[in-house]
Amino acid sequence: MADIFYTNAGCTLVALNPFKPIPQLYSPELMREYHAAPQPQKLRPHIFTVGEQAYRNVKSMTEPVNQSVVVSGESGAGKTWTSRCLMKFYAVVATSPTSSESHKIAERIEQRILNSNPVMEAFGNACTLRNNNSSRFGKFIQLQLNRAQQITGAAVQTYLLEKTRVACQASSERNFHIFYQICKGASADERLQWHLPEGAAFSWLPNPERILEEDSFEVTREAMLHLGIDTPTQNNIFKVLAGLLHLGDIQFADSEDEAQPCQLKSDAKCSVRTPASLLWLPEDPLLETLRIRTIRAGRQQQVFRKPCSRAECDTRRDCLAKLVYARLFDWLVSVINSSICADVDSWTTFIGLLDVYGFESFPDNSLEQLCINYANEKLQQHFVAHYLRAQQEEYAVEGLEWSFVNYRDNQTCLDLIEGSPISICSLINEECRLNRPSSAAQLQTRIESALSGSPCLGHNKLSREPSFIVVHYAGAVCYHTAGLVEKNKDPVPPELTRLLQQSQDPLLKVLFPTDPEEESQAKPSGQSRTPVLTVVSKFKASLEQLLQVLHSTTPHYIRCIKPNSQGQAQTFLREEVLSQLEACGLVETIHISAAGFPIRISHRNFVERYELLRRLHPRTSPGPQSPSPNEGCSEWSAHAEKAPLHPLLQDILHTLPALTRAAATPSDPAEVTPAPVRCGRTKVFMTDSTLELLEHGRAWVLEQCARCIQAGWRRHRHRKQERQRRAAVLIQAAIRSWLTRRHIQRLHMAATVIKRAWQKWRIRMAFLASEELDGVEEKYFFQVPRSPSSFPLPQAQMRLLEAITRLWPLGLVLANAAVGVRGFQRKLVVWACLQLPTSSPSSYTIQAAQEQDGVTSIRALPQGSIKFHCRKSPLRHADICPEPSSYSVTGFNQILLERHRLGHV
């Protein structure tokens, strides 16, 4: 058999229990895939599809906004696992905070909600013949969502805990998981404190050798810690549970004298000291309360003390244990709710997960099985009333042609169990009100005689014990009448409550507070005695309250199916599966879903959502000459003409043929068939395919509108960008023009300054050269220092001009002296440049190299010599001068002048 365990049957998801772990089928990645899918129903059927549909209904605010997921099935079909996976799914997809602080809050809420599961399963689940983790209580988990559809908290409501399992377990079954967890997972110190030696056997702990996955003590402790139950409180809880285990080992022996109380058996294990110390109860009052009954009689309320028989002692011991465990379970539920429940103002909608005990049929069925199967009957009736019967009746009210599909209605069975004025529940309650000993045979006779006309009541002729048979929707169950009345009364002797109120244990003080009002009500007069509220009455009231919540929500159904009763993987028994499908009405559901219209929308909502489709067929109303919407669909067109529809509604419906043709493919001509749709008096009925067609057309129209809007926006944006570009070009051109003009102005100013300086320098150099070279007119030589004064210049420029004035004449003289000057004129020039004494020019002899370019040295005769050493400058452009001559030599950076004055000079 392939690993495919989910399928759709109309509006119901059928979940087959694989009886093996498949982690990849419930991974967070797969959860996000179903959450992000545009149409999850097109993916493979899965419980995440149902969860996502409920979540999207909340987001769309479709009335009724609140959603509920009803998980039903037989015991062992996988209801608890399905509910757990749905909680994980919502914890993943319904927490999308925007800030880091809200992310931490969401993680804490998510962790607490998920941690409530292992705690409640440890204290409320047990191993039965059909299921290793069977829920022995019903729970309705309300996941609270805020306006942003994020989980802000949760609330848990429980129904009918099977507390009798604490003291009484059927053959091959076990007690609640928590007892095995503390016995297997406690440390050595804890075993010493709780008096739980390793390998010890207890009367109320059968089959301890079985190893189950649910026996994880550390998981339970960690979950309790996350829920706000600290370690000391946990140890206190486990110590009380250990005390209950030791309480079950107290065994009484028959008393020879009825006037004397029963004695304890001689076995050392039956000591009262251990449970008394663990529960912090006084040993003697505990033993006295278990063995002696207090009776108040007469108007004076005289107190009589009567020793109890052995059976009565066992009953009182069991009652004490059941009372403590029931109070402890209710206290845990209240702690969980206070930890995970959000404020009333912080949430607006909710998604409810209902996980109740499955239909049960054991060899020995009592009041617990009767209540469990009664709850399953009520849920089956809710399904029948909501889907099978309500849908077909709605077709008739709306004026649609419909042939009714016969289905199995369980109203007859419900009348047998809870009907008025006489039913099984009323007869059991009446027996509880009568002040007489209850007889199992007498109760059987009353039920058979009073309800003999019911077709759902039968009689087991082969049974030796008094019993009756009820034919439920899932099969016939035989209930034994022995103990029914006592269990329904659920009597709690007041002396047991007073004993527990005397305990010094902190937890028991919280569970059994001393209330003065209760003490005043403990002594009522004989005439003012109020009727006792029975177990059946309380369970019926809580069940009615649950159904009111379900009726106010949009329900979603998940049917869990067992492929075989042995719990074996890869084993599919066709007969067992088919019987379960027929019993829960899934066969009729498939017939109605195939022939009916699961989608129904009011005219107003239909027009508001699909009015856009009129763009495909633009006309206000179909005229008499307008063609038929689809000539091949006479039924559709005839019905459309008969229906008094609004003109807008008619225009929308006339677009369906066009949508059908557009959706048809050449390879599949079957798609050309018209979409099935019916128009009732107030609603439009259609199938999923029609809804998908309308949504596809609406999406196409919205896409065209979006494209039109996008084209207009792009055109507007392009024009705006073009205007901005032209404006930017103009601005850039203006800025470039301004920058260019400014740059040119600066260049003109700089050129003017350079030109002026150059002209000044040129004139000055020309003046100096002419003055030095000519040397004849003395006045020019003496006027040179005064020439710069005619040009007012800054100090820096004055220094530069002075340096040029001192250096350039020598260069000019030496440059021109090599080739252009001869004889006496050259001597005059040298004398003028070096400012030699002019008294006796003949006393000096000047020798020059005539054959070289430039002057290498000027050396005087021994009487007195002047020597010049010239070499080319390493500085760049140092050898360039304005208007260079072909005979000029420039760039002298070092001149060595040696003058040896003679003694006679």
Side-chain angles (χ1 to χ4, degrees), residues 39 41-42 593-594 596-599 606 610 656 659-660 663 670-671 673-678 685-698:
Q39 294 180 342
Q41 61 272 14
K42 288 190 174 182
S593 300
F597 303 93
I599 308 300
F606 185 83
Y610 301 109
L656 281 175
L659 293 175
T660 305
E671 293 290 339
T673 57
V677 61
R678 298 291 185 274
F685 296 83
M686 67 189 75
T687 61
D688 292 330
S689 60
T690 307
L691 179 64
E692 182 179 351
L693 195 64
L694 290 172
E695 289 293 333
H696 178 74
R698 183 174 181 270

Side-chain angles (χ1 to χ4, degrees), residues 397-412:
V397 172
E398 290 289 332
L400 272 66
E401 297 181 359
W402 176 260
S403 58
F404 277 80
V405 176
N406 295 324
Y407 57 89
R408 184 183 301 178
D409 194 353
N410 65 334
Q411 186 60 44
T412 305

Side-chain angles (χ1 to χ4, degrees), residues 89 143 554 683 772 778 810:
F89 173 78
L143 301 178
T554 300
K683 296 180 181 180
E772 294 294 337
E778 193 70 22
L810 179 61

Side-chain angles (χ1 to χ4, degrees), residues 446-485:
R446 290 196 62 188
I447 291 176
E448 291 179 352
S449 60
L451 303 172
S452 58
S454 176
C456 295
L457 181 66
H459 175 63
N460 188 5
K461 298 180 180 180
L462 301 178
S463 177
R464 297 180 180 181
E465 299 179 1
S467 61
F468 59 92
I469 296 177
V470 177
V471 182
H472 295 280
Y473 74 95
V477 180
C478 180
Y479 299 98
H480 296 281
T481 57
L484 271 182
V485 177

